[in-house]
Amino acid sequence: MRVECPHCHQKAIIASTNALSHTVKDLYCQCTNLEGGCGASFVMKLGYSHDLNPPIQNTRQLAASLLKSLTVSERQALIQSDLFGS
Ligand SMILES: [Zn+2]
């Protein structure tokens, strides 16, 4: 993960981290641009935003739950349809 100094926009390193929760961390950063007169230290936040795909197990549980809500004839009709590409 690359961190950019918010002051001089040069490379910074993560010196340490502090977990604020299971999904949010403070990143204590140090700018490496000493020659250019910056060298600032600062804190960035790293946090979970959202899923692009849910965990596989969640998808299976959801599918199983939906299938259980159907009657046997509805399940058979679903299997015989070309919903699954066959
Ligand atoms: Zn800097």
Side-chain angles (χ1 to χ4, degrees):
M1 178 178 164
R2 183 179 175 92
V3 176
E4 180 183 296
C5 175
H7 304 288
C8 69
H9 307 287
Q10 298 301 307
K11 181 181 175 185
I13 60 168
I14 300 169
S16 64
T17 64
N18 181 35
L20 301 176
S21 73
H22 185 62
T23 56
V24 179
K25 282 185 178 180
D26 274 343
L27 307 178
Y28 287 81
C29 304
Q30 177 73 51
C31 175
T32 60
N33 182 18
L34 298 175
E35 297 82 16
C38 186
S41 58
F42 53 92
V43 179
M44 301 284 268
K45 279 208 186 318
L46 175 67
Y48 166 81
S49 174
H50 60 279
D51 291 329
L52 298 176
N53 291 298
I56 293 168
Q57 190 59 36
N58 290 11
T59 304
R60 288 181 180 157
Q61 287 173 349
L62 178 61
S65 176
L66 289 171
L67 287 172
K68 284 178 186 173
S69 71
L70 298 176
T71 65
V72 172
S73 60
E74 287 172 329
R75 289 180 206 169
Q76 288 173 338
L78 187 62
I79 289 169
Q80 290 169 355
S81 73
D82 62 354
L83 180 67
F84 301 112
S86 59

